[in-house]
Amino acid sequence: MDLFHALTDEERSRSRLDAKITALVLDDVDFVTGSTINELAERAGVSPPTITRFCRRLGCVSFADFKVQLARMTYVGLRYLKPELPTTTVSEVIDDIVVKAQDTLFSLHNQLDHDRLEDAARLLRGAGFIQAVGAGGNSSMIANEIQNRLFRLGCHVQSTNDKAMAVMLAAAATPDTVAIVSSMTGRDVELVRCLDLYRHHNVLTIALTQSGSPVAERASVVIPIDLPEGVNIYRPTSTRYAYLAVIDILANLVAYADRQKSLQYLRRIKEELVSNRDGDDRQLLGD
Amino acid sequence: MDLFHALTDEERSRSRLDAKITALVLDDVDFVTGSTINELAERAGVSPPTITRFCRRLGCVSFADFKVQLARMTYVGLRYLKPELPTTTVSEVIDDIVVKAQDTLFSLHNQLDHDRLEDAARLLRGAGFIQAVGAGGNSSMIANEIQNRLFRLGCHVQSTNDKAMAVMLAAAATPDTVAIVSSMTGRDVELVRCLDLYRHHNVLTIALTQSGSPVAERASVVIPIDLPEGVNIYRPTSTRYAYLAVIDILANLVAYADRQKSLQYLRRIKEELVSNRDGDDRQLLGD
DNA sequence: AAGGTTATGTAATTTATTTTCCTTATCGGC
DNA sequence: GCCGATAAGGAAAATAAATTACATAACCTT
């Protein structure tokens, strides 16, 4: 268990001072990472050995180790620990959104199932035709992104944000078709129906969704993405960053399976793009 | 100047041992962050004072400070230091994409111009009609995302991924229209033409783009996003994460400008969604 | 309330880091 | 190629920091 979880673990039995130190650490990471054990002890109102023991309980071998581990997680999730504060100033909004996006990526990194990703990439790579389905705003973006990344690699892919369309696509699927669907809730009634239909037509499916959800249960390969949702209704969900990262990873794995072929397609596309700009070659592939 | 740049700065005059220590640090950050000054000195084949001096030259106040700063950058950019290694295993691809995405967000956080964001949010909030323009794959996603986030807040917004369409939109614009455009290169010839047209029609424009680019020069409000691009041609640009974060921030600022109104729209949308799922209320707003 | 257990502090000890001072290498000018 | 200046580096002493050992206090438990 890493320091992040150890610090936030509600189960951990804490003595009075332990709780006090925990609070201090979470409240001001920057101070703690920069302080000596004496400074920290004084500010916490405890003795230095108490700090050492605190660090050991958290799984660190020493105070120095604790500081390093703490510093390591500063940008990946620590602010998340704090209760959802009302953000009002521009700075607060920026901090909050950026930190949560980073934290989401961090959590994703810890939970990704490598084998399932490889399975999914293998399916995509071998597919004669790929159908990407996602609707409702966030997942539409993901479906479109799948198309955007894969056609560049020479895949034949069609994305749709229309579940009625997906039904028709499934009906038209040939045996070498693979469908990839995205649903953050995994409980979309129509998407579930689509998946049943895909199965009925023997079309293999890949799902990016919450594990254990109805969508997950019906897919051939599931890439589970289980992340806490923010409670701020005004704010778009940071889970999108995780889904986007999964698409990036899949596209990369597909590309790497046949570098020669991928490179050829990418170059061809790039040549067209550059001629449409000012001839500067240092351009991005697709703005 | 931060440690990251100090370590990689080619300009920095380095003595023989300094170069040796630099190389050791970059090669094995994990060892360095976990070692004592003596262990590091021994492994580098130098004396402890040399390490202390090395840290000071890099702008740290002590070896402990150096270790903490080093630990802090592990997740934000360190991989950039090493030559782009061919990533082959699933783990490597995952690490690479997640680390670069986090790094991109980190860089963004450091460079965002708060005042410009506030200006942009104010324009959007006050607009009678918003036109979002972005094309070419990555920026299309951003334009769509702008529409997706803003209509939920009660804004009247139309996005297009078609620059010819943008020309027509500009021509049809009323005085209360605001256009928001995205271009990662900032050098798209057609988009530049669109911006000139918008200006000609007295339509205020917001640009998310590279600072100093032709697109930036023509917009009323520029939100500069200047990020290093990975050189790996297979990799979709991690810059997307930064653009997405900017959209999130803008949408949030717009929502906060009139919470009551935003809440009202968001609730209405949510009610419709829930009835279309399985009635579970803990659902996302738009999958 | 006695007995055990856990938490905490004090002081001693150990370990780690920095400073001071001295030596050695390097470089430019003659 | 030698001299002097300057910077780099190391050894050892001094200092600072962290941990251990031990003592004491708080807290359960029955």
Side-chain angles (χ1 to χ4, degrees):
Chain A
M1 190 184 252
D2 62 28
L3 188 59
F4 178 90
H5 289 106
L7 274 169
T8 51
D9 188 7
E10 300 288 336
E11 302 296 298
R12 214 183 88 228
S13 71
R14 293 177 198 178
S15 68
R16 194 173 44 86
L17 294 190
D18 190 309
K20 200 167 161 189
I21 302 169
T22 304
L24 175 60
V25 169
L26 296 183
D27 182 61
D28 196 348
V29 182
D30 289 341
F31 168 74
V32 176
T33 53
S35 71
T36 68
I37 201 169
N38 287 306
E39 290 164 346
L40 176 57
E42 189 185 352
R43 182 145 156 193
V46 302
S47 65
T50 300
I51 301 290
T52 296
R53 292 191 275 249
F54 171 81
C55 299
R56 297 260 163 86
R57 271 200 297 278
L58 289 168
C60 304
V61 307
S62 67
F63 176 64
D65 182 38
F66 170 76
K67 278 206 294 188
V68 165
Q69 286 198 234
L70 193 63
R72 215 171 253 163
M73 47 177 271
T74 306
Y75 279 99
V76 284
L78 198 71
R79 302 207 188 187
Y80 215 113
L81 304 178
K82 299 189 185 181
E84 198 111 8
L85 296 168
T87 49
T88 26
T89 70
V90 176
S91 295
E92 284 168 353
V93 170
I94 292 172
D95 282 0
D96 204 49
I97 284 174
V98 170
V99 168
K100 282 186 180 156
Q102 288 185 319
D103 186 48
T104 299
L105 289 165
F106 180 67
S107 301
L108 177 78
H109 184 267
N110 289 339
Q111 73 176 242
L112 275 179
D113 185 330
H114 298 201
D115 292 338
R116 291 297 82 69
L117 283 167
E118 204 150 30
D119 291 346
R122 198 178 310 117
L123 278 189
L124 291 172
R125 188 186 300 145
F129 187 56
I130 296 165
Q131 299 178 349
V133 182
N138 293 329
S139 282
S140 329
M141 179 182 94
I142 299 303
N144 294 341
E145 203 55 16
I146 292 168
Q147 168 167 296
N148 189 27
R149 305 257 81 95
L150 294 185
F151 91 83
R152 290 158 199 243
L153 304 175
C155 295
H156 300 144
V157 50
Q158 177 177 3
S159 78
T160 181
N161 305 326
D162 173 350
K163 283 164 279 189
M165 189 67 193
V167 172
M168 291 189 272
L169 283 172
T174 46
D176 64 344
T177 298
V178 169
I180 174 166
V181 310
S182 162
S183 172
M184 294 191 183
T185 62
R187 333 176 68 90
D188 185 283
V189 178
E190 286 171 290
L191 193 60
V192 165
R193 216 180 317 134
C194 281
L195 281 170
D196 285 335
L197 202 71
Y198 274 121
R199 170 149 296 180
H200 182 254
H201 288 282
N202 285 315
V203 175
L204 289 175
T205 49
I206 300 165
L208 275 54
T209 192
Q210 273 182 26
S211 58
S213 66
V215 168
E217 281 163 11
R218 284 163 177 81
S220 316
V221 175
V222 179
I223 298 176
I225 305 176
D226 301 310
L227 297 163
E229 270 311 318
V231 297
N232 189 332
I233 191 178
Y234 297 106
R235 170 151 323 140
T237 167
S238 52
T239 305
R240 290 179 297 145
Y241 297 87
Y243 276 72
L244 207 50
V246 171
I247 301 305
D248 281 357
I249 292 164
L250 282 177
N252 261 266
L253 293 175
V254 171
Y256 284 177
D258 187 347
R259 290 181 196 231
Q260 283 312 308
K261 185 178 158 200
S262 303
L263 202 55
Q264 179 195 325
Y265 281 100
L266 291 168
R267 286 226 176 95
R268 229 192 271 169
I269 294 166
K270 184 151 184 166
E271 274 164 29
E272 283 309 312
L273 279 174
V274 171
S275 62
N276 197 35
R277 296 227 184 73
D278 59 2
D280 185 340
D281 186 52
R282 299 159 306 132
Q283 296 302 325
L284 300 180
L285 198 77
D287 205 71
Chain B
M1 189 184 254
D2 62 29
L3 187 60
F4 177 89
H5 290 106
L7 273 170
T8 50
D9 187 7
E10 300 288 336
E11 304 296 297
R12 215 183 87 228
S13 72
R14 292 176 198 179
S15 68
R16 196 173 45 87
L17 294 191
D18 190 309
K20 201 167 159 188
I21 301 170
T22 304
L24 176 59
V25 169
L26 296 182
D27 181 60
D28 196 348
V29 181
D30 289 340
F31 168 74
V32 176
T33 53
S35 70
T36 67
I37 202 170
N38 286 305
E39 289 164 346
L40 177 56
E42 190 186 351
R43 184 146 153 191
V46 303
S47 66
T50 301
I51 301 291
T52 295
R53 289 171 192 136
F54 171 81
C55 299
R56 296 261 163 83
R57 269 199 300 276
L58 289 169
C60 304
V61 308
S62 66
F63 175 64
D65 181 39
F66 170 75
K67 279 206 294 186
V68 165
Q69 286 198 236
L70 194 63
R72 212 172 255 164
M73 46 177 267
T74 306
Y75 275 100
V76 285
L78 198 73
R79 301 243 166 174
Y80 268 128
L81 305 179
K82 301 192 180 181
E84 197 99 13
L85 297 169
T87 49
T88 29
T89 69
V90 177
S91 297
E92 283 167 353
V93 170
I94 291 173
D95 283 0
D96 199 51
I97 285 175
V98 170
V99 168
K100 281 186 179 155
Q102 288 186 320
D103 185 46
T104 301
L105 288 165
F106 178 70
S107 302
L108 176 78
H109 185 266
N110 289 339
Q111 72 175 246
L112 275 180
D113 184 331
H114 298 200
D115 294 338
R116 290 298 83 69
L117 283 167
E118 205 150 29
D119 291 347
R122 197 179 312 117
L123 278 189
L124 291 172
R125 176 83 278 179
F129 186 56
I130 297 164
Q131 300 178 348
V133 182
N138 293 328
S139 283
S140 328
M141 179 183 93
I142 298 304
N144 295 339
E145 201 58 13
I146 291 169
Q147 168 165 296
N148 190 27
R149 306 273 53 115
L150 294 184
F151 90 84
R152 291 157 199 244
L153 303 175
C155 297
H156 299 145
V157 49
Q158 176 176 5
S159 77
T160 180
N161 304 327
D162 173 350
K163 282 162 279 188
M165 188 68 193
V167 172
M168 291 189 275
L169 284 171
T174 47
D176 64 346
T177 298
V178 169
I180 173 165
V181 309
S182 161
S183 172
M184 295 192 182
T185 62
R187 331 177 70 90
D188 185 285
V189 178
E190 286 172 290
L191 193 60
V192 166
R193 214 176 322 131
C194 281
L195 282 170
D196 285 335
L197 202 71
Y198 273 121
R199 169 150 298 180
H200 182 253
H201 287 282
N202 286 314
V203 175
L204 289 175
T205 48
I206 301 165
L208 275 54
T209 192
Q210 270 183 27
S211 60
S213 66
V215 168
E217 281 163 11
R218 285 164 177 81
S220 316
V221 176
V222 179
I223 299 177
I225 305 176
D226 301 311
L227 297 162
E229 270 308 320
V231 295
N232 188 337
I233 191 175
Y234 297 107
R235 176 130 329 117
T237 92
S238 48
T239 306
R240 289 180 297 145
Y241 297 89
Y243 276 71
L244 205 51
V246 171
I247 301 305
D248 281 0
I249 292 164
L250 282 176
N252 211 211
L253 292 174
V254 170
Y256 282 180
D258 187 347
R259 289 183 201 230
Q260 284 311 309
K261 183 178 162 201
S262 301
L263 199 56
Q264 178 196 325
Y265 280 96
L266 291 167
R267 285 224 176 98
R268 228 192 270 169
I269 294 165
K270 183 151 186 166
E271 273 163 30
E272 282 309 311
L273 277 176
V274 171
S275 63
N276 196 35
R277 293 225 188 78
D278 56 4
D280 185 340
D281 186 52
R282 300 160 308 137
Q283 296 303 323
L284 299 181
L285 199 84
D287 206 272

